[in-house]
Amino acid sequence: MDHDKIDMTILAELSANARVSHTELADRVGLSSTAIARRQRALEDEGYIRGYQAILDPGRFGLNTTVLVRIALNSQSDEALKSFEAAVVNCPSVIRTFLMSGNDDYLLIVLARDIEDFERIHRTELSRLPHVSRIQSNFALREIIDRAVPPAIFGKPGRPARKPTRKQAG
């Protein structure tokens, strides 16, 4: 990454608050708002900034249950993968999908109102996906971190891990 400290500060500020004004950024960085706008546009054009969005609270919509769903397919052929991926895009309860290495082929993040709603989602959406041989679901108890990127890329390391005490290590 060939960007200077100013670009990194702009990215850090925008990742924390995408609505920050060019004037506010200019004050924090020590450049004119025109220079900030030019740098921000360059970061967008280079693909460092893919877009802007409002972060909505799923709980306000009654979606209080986050489920991590691991799916194994009955085949890893190109046709099976493409077919599954084309179908999962149409599942309205799935908010993220990852192609995985290891024992499972996909990891899906699903939002549901409650366990009964997830049962409906499982029955009407997930179990109907093509080439599925196994579905395993884990319910998140509580979200701890939700970041777009790790703060370390901005030179802001997270809290260092504590060394385990003798009692914890044993």
Side-chain angles (χ1 to χ4, degrees), residues 101-165:
S101 64
N103 293 331
D104 301 308
D105 296 307
Y106 290 92
L107 174 68
L108 284 57
I109 310 298
V110 174
L111 293 181
R113 295 186 186 291
D114 50 33
I115 196 163
E116 290 82 13
D117 188 38
F118 180 71
E119 179 186 9
R120 178 195 57 77
I121 293 165
H122 188 283
R123 189 178 60 255
T124 63
E125 295 178 35
L126 304 178
S127 65
R128 294 181 181 181
L129 291 167
H131 303 286
V132 172
S133 67
R134 182 174 34 84
I135 300 174
Q136 291 185 312
S137 305
N138 296 87
F139 291 83
L141 300 177
R142 180 168 43 102
E143 183 176 85
I144 309 302
I145 296 173
D146 180 16
R147 299 178 179 142
V149 294
I153 66 168
F154 303 122
K156 298 177 182 180
R159 182 180 301 213
R162 287 190 276 169
K163 292 183 181 180
T165 64

Side-chain angles (χ1 to χ4, degrees), residues 18 24 34 38 45 50 54 62 66 76 81 83 85 106 116 118 158 161:
E24 289 176 90
T34 303
R38 187 172 44 251
D45 292 345
R50 294 190 309 191
T66 302
Q76 284 72 41
L81 297 174
S83 177
E85 291 174 12
Y106 290 92
E116 290 82 13
F118 180 71

Side-chain angles (χ1 to χ4, degrees), residues 10-11 14 39-40 43-52:
I10 292 168
L11 290 170
L14 288 171
R39 282 177 176 254
Q40 186 174 341
L43 291 166
E44 292 166 357
D45 292 345
E46 293 169 11
Y48 287 96
I49 300 171
R50 294 190 309 191
Y52 302 90

Side-chain angles (χ1 to χ4, degrees), residues 2-68:
D2 292 339
H3 290 282
D4 61 16
K5 189 174 182 175
I6 293 172
D7 286 339
M8 296 306 285
T9 301
I10 292 168
L11 290 170
E13 293 289 333
L14 288 171
S15 72
N17 177 10
R19 294 181 66 168
V20 65
S21 71
H22 291 144
T23 305
E24 289 176 90
L25 275 173
D27 289 343
R28 293 178 193 168
V29 173
L31 293 177
S32 70
S33 58
T34 303
I36 293 292
R38 187 172 44 251
R39 282 177 176 254
Q40 186 174 341
R41 172 60 70 191
L43 291 166
E44 292 166 357
D45 292 345
E46 293 169 11
Y48 287 96
I49 300 171
R50 294 190 309 191
Y52 302 90
Q53 67 183 31
I55 300 170
L56 306 179
D57 180 355
R60 302 293 268 179
F61 299 94
L63 300 170
N64 297 308
T65 304
T66 302
V67 188
L68 288 73

